[in-house]
Amino acid sequence: MFDHVVFGVSDYATSKAFFLKALEPIGMAVVSEGPPGVELSADGKVSLCLFQTAEKPAHLHLAFVAGNRQQVDAFHRAALEAGAKDNGAPGLRPNYSGKYYAAFVIGPDGHNIEVVCHEPEA
């Protein structure tokens, strides 16, 4: 659905480090960096772009796709190690669907960051 998502962050270095560590389990890495910020992607097609801003951005809910439930678990651990606040441990969310396995954290700017797997347990 998306080609890229772009949003401002209050502390570029902290946010870049957070997203790199937290999203590494799903293959996200820097694909380009320079003015105005950094572009992260796992497949070179869809990207997340961050830039420094003095504006106080509105809180976002960003949900990333995982290929398996182990990636969801790894994301949650990595995000907490990177300084995130827990907002929902890895697990099934049957109120969403029978296969909705996700984890949620609050990132450096208060954004709700989710990684979700829609595949059945392997």
Side-chain angles (χ1 to χ4, degrees):
M1 174 187 250
F2 297 109
D3 183 84
H4 59 279
V5 173
V6 180
F7 63 94
V9 296
S10 63
D11 183 329
Y12 179 79
T14 297
S15 291
K16 176 184 166 190
F18 167 76
F19 281 100
L20 279 172
K21 182 170 179 88
L23 299 178
E24 186 276 331
I26 61 168
M28 296 286 278
V30 173
V31 294
S32 69
E33 186 169 19
V38 65
E39 178 181 15
L40 308 175
S41 181
D43 63 6
K45 297 176 186 171
V46 179
S47 61
L48 175 70
C49 307
L50 312 172
F51 66 93
Q52 179 70 45
T53 185
E55 293 180 60
K56 184 63 177 167
H59 291 166
L60 302 171
H61 179 149
L62 299 171
F64 298 90
V65 176
N68 57 57
R69 294 178 181 190
Q70 292 76 23
Q71 288 180 328
V72 173
D73 298 343
F75 151 76
H76 192 256
R77 282 190 306 275
L80 295 178
E81 289 171 8
K85 177 182 163 193
D86 179 37
N87 198 32
L92 283 170
R93 303 301 195 271
N95 52 321
Y96 298 162
S97 83
K99 298 185 298 183
Y100 200 105
Y101 188 89
F104 304 82
V105 300
I106 302 298
D109 278 299
H111 303 308
N112 185 25
I113 313 301
E114 172 186 2
V115 170
V116 58
C117 177
H118 296 281
E119 301 301 320
E121 189 169 14

